[in-house]
Amino acid sequence: FQSMSLMAPVLLLSACSGTKEKATETKPLNIIHIMTDDHSFQTISAYGHALGKLAPTPNIDRLAARGVLFRQAFVENSLSTPSRACLMTGLYSHQNGQRQLGKGIDTTKVFFSEILQQHGYQTAVVGKWHMQCEPKGFDYYQVLWDQGEYYNPEFKSKETNGEYVKREGYATKLTTDYALEFLEKRDPNKPFCLLVHQKAPHRNWMPEEKYLHLYEDVEFPLPETFDDDYATRCDAARTQEMRIADHMTLVYDLKLNELKDTPPYNKEWSSQGLQNSLDRMNPQQREAWETAYKTRHEDFKQKQPQGKDLAKWKYQQYLKDYLRCIKTVDDEVGRLLDYLEKNNLMENTVIVYTSDQGFYMGEHGWFDKRFMYEESFRTPLIISYPGKAKGIENTDLVQNIDYAPTYLDIAGIEKPEYMVGTSLVPLLDGKTPADWRKYLYYHYYDYPAIHMVRRHDGVRDKQYKLIHFYGDKDEHREAINCNELYDLQADPNEQNNLYGKAEYKDVQDRLQQQLDRFRQEQQVDEW
Ligand code: SGN
Ligand code: CA
């Protein structure tokens, strides 16, 4: 077992170069997993959406040009800690214990980092860890406290004996600094696996100083479904609390700190939250910040937007801040790639770019995630693998439970029997194996909780999606037991619920059978 890993048969010579295959030297590949927090595929220019054109991401695109861009990559449970648990274990939420945001992770489950470590890899994680357990299976870590702060955040490491220490600077850059520190200090004779987990662009979207004015004059297009009335849906879509119009706050989310003591804004969610973040800043950061948001406040006072105009005004400000955070993320991806190039690491390192889930950029009127609808169920995924296909797109159904098996496969380690995910390596040549999965399972559990999205599970194939919302009556909401069925080809915005329609009976029955199969085979215990 031990000997398999360090002899992963990776030819140093490009497999598709057509030149004589004279290289016989083998060396295990390094792995870099870059995962941002809440980064929507809509805002990566390589994905080709309107927002990406207005706010390009040249460095993430650079990676796409070197590798495979997945258009049908999904999570199992669209929330941070559950996604991180899927990543580390290759298991669904009910199997790894992390169903909701807080406690849950079953630490008796093996993390793939532990397996790599046992097989001679040097392992590291930097940035957002978020799970309520120590990073397991890492030689080096520098992780943020909880969600982490954007400005002058606290990190803990082995050197600080697990104590959080405040660091001067901006989280996205500090996280990259630590990634580079690990790369510099590592033993160059051993392969490595490095997880770079950016906190950005998580709420409340606080941009780096130098980008505080970026996109100031850009008008972002409203998504087609911004005014969705959820007419054919289950109640879950109506009773959520993640509408830009109603739940995005002026003070905390949109930085109008001048309003924090003024009714009704003083009653908003986290009206003190922004002040706490500002109090952490040094005078220079604070001054740059105040100057930038003064302009926004003046615009607000002058326009006094109400009703639909207010919703649209909020959308524009939200997009600006979110995309400014992405700009730094993209710069820092560039800095990491430059380092790898300079140090001749590009040809023996697999680089992955993904997010812990997708995010709503105003689709259905929303921000946040959680739902099984496309924008949050999907996640960006780009894999650059030396010697495999370059600059191609893939539309196979892949999911975040596949990362652990993929990384073990790259290291030449056989996947443990219990892992439910599947290695993505066979897809990287641009061909789909005949037995590749035809259905994906999804399950969201975190209710009641912020944003009030009801529990649901469901299945998706390449064209259809079945969602089942469930839950008893409680002090907040009525009981729910309701289904939705969408034809994603005819209705990509998922506004036309086909559940119960006679013409779709066969499709509905087929998806229901698949959903029942998942529940049974994977031993799901609630729905
Ligand atoms: C925080 C955010 C929520 C967000 C969750 C989960 N509120 O609670 O808006 O849905 O995190 O996000 S905030 O006021 O604290 O910003 S996750 O990415 O960690 O799952
Ligand atoms: Ca997240």
Side-chain angles (χ1 to χ4, degrees):
F1 199 51
Q2 175 76 34
S3 60
M4 276 178 65
S5 69
L6 287 174
M7 302 210 304
V10 177
L11 282 177
L12 285 178
L13 197 77
S14 165
C16 48
S17 64
T19 52
K20 265 195 282 167
E21 292 204 5
K22 55 180 190 266
T24 48
E25 193 185 341
T26 61
K27 203 178 168 207
L29 289 170
N30 305 309
I31 300 160
I32 299 186
H33 176 89
I34 309 172
M35 186 162 80
T36 36
D37 196 355
D38 296 359
H39 192 182
S40 51
F41 58 83
Q42 305 91 303
T43 56
I44 293 178
S45 37
Y47 275 88
H49 294 255
L51 296 177
K53 294 206 173 77
L54 290 167
T57 50
N59 291 298
I60 301 173
D61 294 6
R62 216 167 122 191
L63 204 58
R66 298 181 53 91
V68 181
L69 179 141
F70 289 82
R71 287 209 169 261
Q72 305 280 288
F74 297 86
V75 296
E76 183 252 339
N77 179 357
S78 183
L79 205 56
S80 168
T81 40
S83 276
R84 285 158 215 276
C86 289
L87 160 69
M88 296 314 301
T89 62
L91 297 170
Y92 292 114
S93 303
H94 67 282
Q95 298 162 337
N96 63 42
Q98 191 73 53
R99 297 168 197 239
Q100 288 158 300
L101 202 58
K103 285 194 214 129
I105 184 69
D106 175 356
T107 53
T108 67
K109 294 288 184 293
V110 179
F111 289 2
F112 79 85
S113 50
E114 296 175 276
I115 307 177
L116 286 182
Q117 215 175 25
Q118 286 157 14
H119 287 74
Y121 267 72
Q122 292 164 92
T123 54
V125 58
V126 295
K128 183 167 168 179
W129 172 250
H130 205 189
M131 286 186 291
Q132 295 186 8
C133 70
E134 285 303 300
K136 219 163 48 116
F138 293 99
D139 299 307
Y140 174 103
Y141 63 83
Q142 274 288 1
V143 293
L144 290 160
W145 179 77
D146 196 55
Q147 295 278 8
E149 292 283 341
Y150 276 104
Y151 278 84
N152 311 326
E154 283 81 10
F155 283 87
K156 75 173 177 187
S157 67
K158 289 197 171 162
E159 288 79 60
T160 68
N161 292 321
E163 292 284 314
Y164 288 99
V165 177
K166 188 171 172 179
R167 307 286 181 180
E168 184 90 359
Y170 186 70
T172 314
K173 293 169 107 174
L174 289 168
T175 299
T176 312
D177 289 345
Y178 290 132
L180 298 182
E181 180 182 271
F182 163 73
L183 292 174
E184 279 289 302
K185 287 186 178 164
R186 76 187 208 283
D187 174 354
N189 298 314
K190 288 167 117 194
F192 67 84
C193 172
L194 164 64
L195 314 184
V196 185
H197 288 185
Q198 294 293 0
K199 170 227 166 44
H202 191 272
R203 191 183 185 187
N204 63 339
W205 320 293
M206 292 177 70
E208 185 193 350
E209 272 162 271
K210 78 164 185 264
Y211 290 133
L212 283 166
H213 296 270
L214 186 69
Y215 309 128
E216 212 148 62
D217 301 321
V218 179
E219 174 94 9
F220 294 102
L222 280 176
E224 284 170 26
T225 58
F226 190 70
D227 293 319
D228 198 345
D229 61 3
Y230 322 117
T232 69
R233 314 286 186 92
C234 298
D235 274 346
R238 282 179 282 276
T239 64
Q240 44 61 39
E241 294 183 356
M242 47 190 257
R243 282 174 61 82
I244 292 177
D246 306 317
H247 309 103
M248 182 173 279
T249 67
L250 286 173
V251 178
Y252 175 68
D253 288 323
L254 301 178
K255 292 88 175 178
L256 298 188
N257 204 35
E258 295 85 344
L259 302 178
K260 82 170 177 351
D261 300 315
T262 315
Y265 311 108
N266 58 347
K267 295 276 177 336
E268 282 182 342
W269 162 259
S270 205
S271 62
Q272 252 303 310
L274 179 65
Q275 186 62 50
N276 297 343
S277 299
L278 300 185
D279 289 345
R280 309 174 56 85
M281 291 182 174
N282 66 35
Q284 191 196 331
Q285 295 166 337
R286 184 75 181 257
E287 203 194 315
W289 184 274
E290 304 281 355
T291 311
Y293 289 103
K294 209 167 157 236
T295 317
R296 178 175 293 177
H297 191 218
E298 272 155 17
D299 188 55
F300 181 76
K301 277 197 294 195
Q302 193 226 320
K303 292 186 176 138
Q304 299 281 330
Q306 304 286 330
K308 280 200 167 164
D309 289 337
L310 178 59
K312 287 184 195 161
W313 187 88
K314 286 164 120 184
Y315 168 79
Q316 293 297 333
Q317 314 313 319
Y318 158 50
L319 269 272
K320 286 180 213 289
D321 287 343
Y322 183 98
L323 290 164
R324 288 165 180 160
C325 291
I326 294 302
K327 181 68 181 161
T328 308
V329 165
D330 188 70
D331 286 354
E332 295 301 291
V333 169
R335 185 153 70 102
L336 187 55
L337 295 183
D338 289 347
Y339 177 93
L340 299 174
E341 269 166 14
K342 222 176 272 155
N343 291 278
N344 297 321
L345 286 165
M346 277 316 240
E347 292 315 314
N348 59 356
T349 304
V350 178
I351 310 167
V352 176
Y353 185 90
T354 188
S355 169
D356 65 343
Q357 8 74 202
F359 212 68
Y360 294 95
M361 311 305 307
E363 296 88 356
H364 311 295
W366 296 337
F367 64 105
D368 213 66
K369 50 258 178 178
R370 298 160 194 268
F371 279 108
M372 198 191 166
Y373 305 125
E374 292 293 274
E375 293 82 1
S376 49
F377 181 22
R378 270 180 71 185
T379 190
L381 177 62
I382 296 166
I383 304 182
S384 151
Y385 193 122
K388 303 261 182 206
K390 277 188 175 35
I392 65 158
E393 296 197 352
N394 172 294
T395 56
D396 298 317
L397 299 174
V398 306
Q399 201 164 25
N400 56 352
I401 50 168
D402 297 332
Y403 297 134
T406 302
Y407 299 151
L408 295 181
D409 193 6
I410 291 170
I413 303 165
E414 216 170 308
K415 178 182 95 160
E417 194 71 25
Y418 62 82
M419 269 192 193
V420 290
T422 308
S423 169
L424 302 176
V425 175
L427 303 179
L428 300 174
D429 288 320
K431 291 180 215 101
T432 308
D435 59 351
W436 192 255
R437 69 162 71 86
K438 306 274 186 291
Y439 298 92
L440 290 173
Y441 180 67
Y442 181 84
H443 203 150
Y444 173 80
Y445 304 82
D446 204 5
Y447 172 89
I450 186 168
H451 303 302
M452 298 301 276
V453 173
R454 299 303 298 254
R455 291 178 174 218
H456 55 291
D457 73 346
V459 284
R460 186 199 193 280
D461 69 7
K462 279 192 151 185
Q463 185 175 356
Y464 297 99
K465 182 188 292 182
L466 175 68
I467 314 178
H468 169 67
F469 290 96
Y470 67 93
D472 296 336
K473 180 180 166 63
D474 58 45
E475 74 253 48
H476 312 283
R477 299 283 186 270
E478 293 302 318
I480 188 167
N481 177 4
C482 181
N483 302 293
E484 296 179 359
L485 177 71
Y486 295 102
D487 177 344
L488 300 162
Q489 242 158 53
D491 175 30
N493 290 335
E494 301 168 282
Q495 289 185 296
N496 187 15
N497 179 10
L498 304 168
Y499 194 85
K501 298 224 154 121
E503 316 89 275
Y504 288 90
K505 188 178 181 308
D506 290 351
V507 175
Q508 187 178 305
D509 289 350
R510 176 169 63 79
L511 266 76
Q512 187 62 54
Q513 259 171 28
Q514 292 299 326
L515 183 53
D516 292 340
R517 179 181 65 83
F518 272 113
R519 288 168 176 169
Q520 200 183 1
E521 284 177 8
Q522 299 303 327
Q523 302 182 345
V524 181
D525 47 9
E526 54 184 307
W527 64 79

Coordinates of all heavy atoms in Angstrom, one line a residue, residues 68-113:
V68 N -9.3 22.0 -17.6 CA -10.7 21.7 -17.9 C -11.7 22.5 -17.0 O -11.5 22.6 -15.8 CB -11.0 20.1 -17.6 CG1 -12.4 19.8 -18.0 CG2 -10.0 19.3 -18.3
L69 N -12.6 23.1 -17.7 CA -13.6 23.9 -17.0 C -14.9 23.1 -16.9 O -15.5 22.7 -18.0 CB -13.9 25.2 -17.7 CG -14.9 26.2 -17.1 CD1 -14.4 27.6 -17.3 CD2 -16.2 26.1 -17.8
F70 N -15.4 22.8 -15.7 CA -16.6 22.0 -15.5 C -17.8 22.9 -15.5 O -17.9 23.8 -14.6 CB -16.5 21.2 -14.2 CG -15.4 20.1 -14.3 CD1 -14.1 20.3 -14.1 CD2 -15.9 18.8 -14.6 CE1 -13.2 19.3 -14.2 CE2 -14.9 17.8 -14.7 CZ -13.6 18.0 -14.5
R71 N -18.8 22.6 -16.3 CA -20.0 23.4 -16.4 C -21.1 22.8 -15.5 O -22.1 23.4 -15.3 CB -20.5 23.6 -17.8 CG -19.6 24.5 -18.6 CD -20.4 25.2 -19.7 NE -19.6 26.3 -20.2 CZ -19.7 27.6 -19.8 NH1 -20.7 27.9 -19.0 NH2 -18.9 28.5 -20.3
Q72 N -20.9 21.6 -15.1 CA -21.9 20.9 -14.3 C -21.3 20.3 -13.0 O -21.4 19.1 -12.8 CB -22.6 19.7 -15.1 CG -23.1 20.1 -16.5 CD -24.5 20.8 -16.4 OE1 -25.5 20.1 -16.1 NE2 -24.6 22.1 -16.5
A73 N -20.7 21.2 -12.3 CA -20.1 20.9 -11.0 C -21.0 21.3 -9.9 O -21.5 22.5 -9.9 CB -18.7 21.5 -10.9
F74 N -21.2 20.5 -8.9 CA -22.2 20.8 -7.9 C -21.7 20.5 -6.5 O -20.7 19.8 -6.3 CB -23.5 19.9 -8.1 CG -24.1 20.2 -9.4 CD1 -23.7 19.5 -10.6 CD2 -25.2 21.1 -9.5 CE1 -24.3 19.8 -11.8 CE2 -25.8 21.3 -10.7 CZ -25.3 20.7 -11.9
V75 N -22.4 21.0 -5.5 CA -22.1 20.6 -4.1 C -23.3 19.7 -3.6 O -24.3 19.5 -4.3 CB -22.0 21.8 -3.2 CG1 -20.8 22.7 -3.6 CG2 -23.3 22.6 -3.2
E76 N -23.1 19.1 -2.5 CA -24.2 18.2 -2.0 C -25.1 18.9 -1.0 O -26.3 18.6 -0.9 CB -23.5 17.0 -1.2 CG -24.6 16.0 -0.7 CD -24.8 16.0 0.8 OE1 -23.9 16.5 1.5 OE2 -25.8 15.5 1.3
N77 N -24.6 20.0 -0.4 CA -25.3 20.7 0.7 C -24.7 22.1 0.7 O -23.6 22.3 1.1 CB -25.0 19.9 2.0 CG -25.7 20.5 3.2 OD1 -26.4 21.6 3.1 ND2 -25.5 19.9 4.3
S78 N -25.4 23.1 0.1 CA -24.9 24.4 -0.3 C -24.6 25.3 0.9 O -25.4 26.3 1.1 CB -25.8 25.0 -1.3 OG -25.3 26.2 -1.7
L79 N -23.6 25.0 1.7 CA -23.2 25.7 2.9 C -21.8 25.4 3.2 O -21.3 24.3 2.9 CB -24.2 25.2 4.0 CG -24.5 26.2 5.2 CD1 -25.1 27.5 4.7 CD2 -25.5 25.5 6.1
S80 N -21.1 26.4 3.9 CA -19.7 26.3 4.1 C -19.2 25.0 4.8 O -18.5 24.2 4.1 CB -19.2 27.5 4.9 OG -17.9 27.3 5.3
T81 N -19.5 24.8 6.1 CA -18.9 23.7 6.8 C -19.3 22.3 6.2 O -18.5 21.4 6.0 CB -19.2 23.7 8.3 OG1 -20.5 24.1 8.5 CG2 -18.3 24.7 9.0
P82 N -20.6 22.2 5.8 CA -20.9 20.9 5.1 C -20.1 20.7 3.9 O -19.6 19.5 3.6 CB -22.4 21.1 4.8 CG -22.9 22.0 5.8 CD -21.8 23.0 6.0
S83 N -19.8 21.7 3.1 CA -19.0 21.5 1.9 C -17.6 21.1 2.2 O -17.0 20.3 1.5 CB -19.0 22.8 1.0 OG -20.1 22.9 0.2
R84 N -17.1 21.8 3.2 CA -15.7 21.5 3.7 C -15.6 20.0 4.2 O -14.6 19.4 3.9 CB -15.3 22.5 4.7 CG -15.0 23.8 4.1 CD -15.0 25.0 5.1 NE -15.6 26.1 4.4 CZ -14.8 27.0 3.6 NH1 -13.5 26.8 3.6 NH2 -15.4 28.0 3.0
A85 N -16.7 19.6 4.8 CA -16.7 18.2 5.3 C -16.8 17.2 4.1 O -16.1 16.2 4.2 CB -17.8 18.0 6.3
C86 N -17.5 17.5 3.1 CA -17.6 16.7 1.9 C -16.2 16.6 1.3 O -15.8 15.6 0.9 CB -18.6 17.3 0.9 SG -20.3 17.1 1.3
L87 N -15.6 17.8 1.2 CA -14.2 17.8 0.6 C -13.3 16.9 1.4 O -12.6 16.1 0.7 CB -13.7 19.3 0.7 CG -12.2 19.5 0.6 CD1 -11.7 19.2 -0.9 CD2 -11.8 20.9 0.9
M88 N -13.2 17.0 2.7 CA -12.2 16.3 3.4 C -12.5 14.8 3.5 O -11.5 14.0 3.6 CB -12.1 16.9 4.9 CG -11.6 18.3 5.0 SD -10.2 18.8 4.0 CE -8.9 17.7 4.6
T89 N -13.8 14.4 3.5 CA -14.1 13.0 3.7 C -14.5 12.2 2.5 O -14.6 11.0 2.5 CB -15.3 12.8 4.7 OG1 -16.4 13.5 4.2 CG2 -14.9 13.5 6.1
G90 N -15.0 12.9 1.4 CA -15.5 12.2 0.2 C -16.9 11.6 0.6 O -17.3 10.7 -0.1
L91 N -17.5 12.1 1.6 CA -18.8 11.5 2.1 C -19.9 12.6 2.0 O -19.7 13.8 2.1 CB -18.7 11.0 3.5 CG -17.8 9.9 3.8 CD1 -17.6 9.7 5.3 CD2 -18.2 8.6 3.1
Y92 N -21.2 12.1 1.9 CA -22.3 13.0 2.0 C -22.4 13.5 3.5 O -21.9 12.9 4.4 CB -23.6 12.3 1.7 CG -23.8 11.9 0.2 CD1 -23.8 10.6 -0.1 CD2 -23.9 12.9 -0.8 CE1 -23.9 10.2 -1.4 CE2 -24.1 12.5 -2.1 CZ -24.1 11.1 -2.4 OH -24.2 10.8 -3.7
S93 N -23.2 14.6 3.7 CA -23.3 15.3 5.0 C -23.8 14.3 6.1 O -23.3 14.3 7.2 CB -24.3 16.4 4.9 OG -23.9 17.4 3.9
H94 N -24.8 13.5 5.7 CA -25.4 12.6 6.8 C -24.4 11.5 7.2 O -24.5 10.9 8.2 CB -26.7 12.0 6.4 CG -26.6 11.0 5.2 ND1 -26.5 11.4 3.9 CD2 -26.6 9.7 5.2 CE1 -26.4 10.4 3.2 NE2 -26.4 9.3 3.9
Q95 N -23.3 11.4 6.3 CA -22.3 10.3 6.6 C -21.1 10.9 7.4 O -20.5 10.3 8.1 CB -21.9 9.7 5.3 CG -23.0 8.9 4.6 CD -22.8 8.6 3.2 OE1 -21.9 9.3 2.5 NE2 -23.5 7.7 2.6
N96 N -20.8 12.2 7.1 CA -19.7 12.8 7.8 C -20.1 13.7 9.0 O -19.2 14.2 9.7 CB -18.8 13.7 6.8 CG -19.6 14.8 6.2 OD1 -20.3 15.5 6.9 ND2 -19.4 15.1 4.9
G97 N -21.4 13.8 9.2 CA -21.9 14.4 10.4 C -22.2 15.9 10.3 O -22.9 16.5 11.1
Q98 N -21.6 16.5 9.3 CA -21.7 18.0 9.2 C -22.8 18.4 8.3 O -22.7 18.7 7.1 CB -20.3 18.6 8.6 CG -20.2 20.1 8.7 CD -19.9 20.6 10.1 OE1 -19.0 20.2 10.7 NE2 -20.8 21.5 10.5
R99 N -24.1 18.3 8.9 CA -25.3 18.7 8.1 C -25.5 20.2 8.1 O -26.1 20.7 7.2 CB -26.5 18.0 8.7 CG -26.4 16.5 8.7 CD -27.5 15.9 9.6 NE -27.2 14.5 9.9 CZ -28.0 13.5 9.6 NH1 -29.2 13.7 9.0 NH2 -27.7 12.3 9.9
Q100 N -25.2 20.8 9.3 CA -25.5 22.2 9.4 C -24.3 23.0 9.6 O -23.2 22.5 9.5 CB -26.5 22.4 10.6 CG -27.8 21.9 10.3 CD -28.6 21.5 11.5 OE1 -28.2 20.6 12.3 NE2 -29.8 22.2 11.7
L101 N -24.4 24.3 9.8 CA -23.3 25.2 9.8 C -22.3 25.0 11.0 O -21.1 25.0 10.8 CB -23.8 26.7 9.8 CG -22.7 27.7 9.3 CD1 -22.3 27.3 7.9 CD2 -23.3 29.1 9.3
G102 N -22.9 24.8 12.2 CA -22.0 24.8 13.4 C -21.3 23.5 13.7 O -20.6 23.0 12.9
K103 N -21.7 22.9 14.8 CA -21.1 21.6 15.2 C -21.5 20.5 14.3 O -22.5 20.7 13.6 CB -21.6 21.3 16.6 CG -20.9 22.1 17.7 CD -21.2 21.4 19.1 CE -21.3 22.4 20.2 NZ -22.5 22.3 21.0
G104 N -20.8 19.4 14.3 CA -21.3 18.3 13.6 C -20.3 17.3 13.0 O -20.5 16.1 13.1
I105 N -19.1 17.9 12.6 CA -18.2 17.0 11.9 C -17.8 15.8 12.8 O -17.5 16.0 14.0 CB -16.9 17.8 11.5 CG1 -15.9 16.9 10.7 CG2 -16.2 18.5 12.7 CD1 -16.4 16.6 9.4
D106 N -17.9 14.7 12.2 CA -17.5 13.4 12.9 C -16.0 13.2 12.7 O -15.6 12.8 11.6 CB -18.3 12.3 12.2 CG -18.0 10.9 12.8 OD1 -17.1 10.8 13.6 OD2 -18.6 9.9 12.4
T107 N -15.3 13.5 13.8 CA -13.8 13.5 13.7 C -13.3 12.0 13.6 O -12.1 11.9 13.5 CB -13.2 14.3 14.8 OG1 -13.7 13.8 16.0 CG2 -13.4 15.8 14.7
T108 N -14.1 11.1 13.8 CA -13.6 9.7 13.6 C -13.5 9.3 12.2 O -12.9 8.3 11.8 CB -14.5 8.6 14.3 OG1 -15.8 8.6 13.6 CG2 -14.8 9.0 15.8
K109 N -14.1 10.2 11.3 CA -14.0 9.9 9.9 C -12.6 10.4 9.4 O -12.1 11.4 9.9 CB -15.0 10.7 9.1 CG -16.4 10.2 9.3 CD -16.7 8.9 8.7 CE -18.1 8.4 8.8 NZ -18.6 8.0 10.2
V110 N -12.0 9.6 8.5 CA -10.6 9.9 8.1 C -10.7 11.0 7.0 O -11.6 11.0 6.2 CB -10.0 8.6 7.4 CG1 -8.6 8.9 6.9 CG2 -10.0 7.5 8.4
F111 N -9.8 12.0 7.1 CA -9.7 13.1 6.1 C -8.7 12.7 5.1 O -7.7 12.0 5.4 CB -9.2 14.4 6.8 CG -10.3 15.1 7.7 CD1 -11.5 14.5 7.9 CD2 -10.0 16.3 8.3 CE1 -12.4 15.1 8.7 CE2 -10.9 16.9 9.1 CZ -12.1 16.3 9.3
F112 N -8.9 13.1 3.8 CA -8.0 12.6 2.8 C -6.6 13.2 3.0 O -5.6 12.6 2.6 CB -8.5 13.0 1.4 CG -8.2 14.4 1.0 CD1 -7.0 14.8 0.5 CD2 -9.2 15.4 1.2 CE1 -6.8 16.2 0.1 CE2 -9.0 16.7 0.8 CZ -7.7 17.1 0.3
S113 N -6.5 14.3 3.8 CA -5.2 14.9 4.1 C -4.3 13.9 5.0 O -3.1 13.8 4.8 CB -5.3 16.2 4.9 OG -6.2 16.0 5.9

